[in-house]
């Protein structure tokens, strides 16, 4: 079975632009979580979606939003990009809300 | 929110040595996981261990939930064990990663 997949792998944007990142969970997993990892730090929790509803939200501004589709894939959207949004964005999937999380390879976003 | 502290922050080992990494958390949690992040950024799941002890080859982990800590043991370390080790906890609707331990294993 395929693992968690994310697209794109790398992305370069300029300040003020909008970005959409995509994640496909492991087949059968119904929960997707998003994390931001700035260089040199641990991942920071952004959102969890389970059964297409938001179940948890970290301490991020409203510029960050997400959604989960009927096939359990997910999108993370970031509006009005700032230089500080440059980071590795990680997606994780799990069977249930608190089960083992499996991470994708990440999308590396650079904001210029 | 909950505080998750890991120690030591950095560790350099000779190949073949053993090590113990610690994760302390400040409040009750639903579960705890240990991850290894390789140099390319991929987070590899090592253990899902809300309590008790588990072993997988040269690695083992113990979580004492009542005392709010978890330990990851690495025996007979290899150069491929190098990277950053994170613990992560879940409190219901929030996930928190620890501060990480950067491990370097030298031949």
């Amino acid at each position: 079975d395929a693992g968690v997949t994310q697209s794109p792998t790398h992305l370069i944007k300029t300040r003020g632009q909008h970005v959409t990142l995509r994640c496909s969970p492991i087949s059968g997993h119904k929960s997707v979580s998003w994390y931001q990892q700035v260089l040199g730090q641990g991942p920071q929790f952004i959102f969890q979606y389970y059964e297409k509803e938001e179940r948890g939200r970290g301490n991020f501004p409203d510029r960050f939003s997400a959604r989960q589709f009927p096939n359990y894939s997910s999108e993370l959207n970031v509006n009005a990009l700032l230089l500080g949004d440059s980071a590795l964005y990680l997606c994780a999937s799990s069977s249930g809300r608190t089960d083992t999380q499996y991470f994708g390879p990440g999308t590396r976003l650079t904001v210029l | 929110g909950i505080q998750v502290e890991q120690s030591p922050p950095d560790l350099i080992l000779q190949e073949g040595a053993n090590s113990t990494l610690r994760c302390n958390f400040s409040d009750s949690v639903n579960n705890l996981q240990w991850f290894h992040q390789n140099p390319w950024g991929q987070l590899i799941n090592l253990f899902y261990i809300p309590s008790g002890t588990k072993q997988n080859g040269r690695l083992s982990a113990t979580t004492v939930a009542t005392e709010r800590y978890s330990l990851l043991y690495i025996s007979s370390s290899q150069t491929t064990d190098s990277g950053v080790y994170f613990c992560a906890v879940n409190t219901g609707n929030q996930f928190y990663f620890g501060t990480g331990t950067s491990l370097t294993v030298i031949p």
Side-chain angles (χ1 to χ4, degrees):
Chain A
D1 278 345
V4 179
T5 59
Q6 293 186 242
S7 63
T9 306
H10 295 86
L11 202 52
I12 299 175
K13 293 284 190 178
T14 56
R15 281 178 298 174
Q17 285 190 311
H18 162 90
V19 68
T20 298
L21 310 181
R22 295 178 175 84
C23 172
S24 291
I26 291 171
S27 177
H29 284 191
K30 298 181 178 179
S31 174
V32 169
S33 298
W34 288 95
Y35 295 82
Q36 179 196 67
Q37 186 175 23
V38 175
L39 194 63
Q41 298 181 16
Q44 298 291 314
F45 172 68
I46 309 175
F47 289 109
Q48 184 192 35
Y49 275 76
Y50 177 69
E51 287 284 19
K52 292 156 279 183
E53 291 188 11
E54 182 184 303
R55 301 291 184 156
R57 173 186 283 256
N59 188 26
F60 279 81
D62 292 342
R63 298 184 297 108
F64 289 77
S65 64
R67 55 179 175 168
Q68 187 176 34
F69 299 100
N71 66 354
Y72 301 108
S73 67
S74 177
E75 283 183 355
L76 175 70
N77 296 283
V78 186
N79 292 323
L81 285 167
L82 303 174
L83 296 179
D85 295 331
S86 295
L88 179 67
Y89 287 84
L90 295 161
C91 170
S93 79
S94 58
S95 298
R97 287 184 58 197
T98 60
D99 295 329
T100 304
Q101 290 197 73
Y102 297 90
F103 280 81
T107 294
R108 197 165 296 276
L109 172 66
T110 301
V111 182
L112 302 176
Chain B
I2 192 172
Q3 304 300 312
V4 185
E5 300 285 338
Q6 291 184 240
S7 61
D10 299 282
L11 189 58
I12 300 175
L13 295 176
Q14 200 78 36
E15 198 169 26
N18 302 328
S19 62
T20 301
L21 282 56
R22 187 177 180 102
C23 171
N24 292 330
F25 42 98
S26 61
D27 205 345
S28 300
V29 299
N30 289 339
N31 63 53
L32 184 144
Q33 280 189 256
W34 282 97
F35 294 94
H36 174 215
Q37 189 166 40
N38 65 24
W40 297 272
Q42 177 73 53
L43 277 164
I44 308 299
N45 176 49
L46 298 176
F47 293 102
Y48 174 90
I49 186 166
S51 64
T53 297
K54 290 186 178 180
Q55 180 154 6
N56 184 5
R58 296 182 296 105
L59 303 181
S60 65
T62 295
T63 297
V64 184
T66 53
E67 297 188 20
R68 298 178 185 167
Y69 73 89
S70 183
L71 302 174
L72 177 69
Y73 305 96
I74 304 174
S75 64
S76 303
S77 59
Q78 301 175 358
T79 56
T80 52
D81 294 332
S82 296
V84 183
Y85 289 80
F86 289 104
C87 63
V89 301
N90 169 256
T91 61
N93 60 357
Q94 293 280 327
F95 294 84
Y96 299 91
F97 271 72
T99 49
T101 292
S102 179
L103 173 64
T104 303
V105 181
I106 54 178

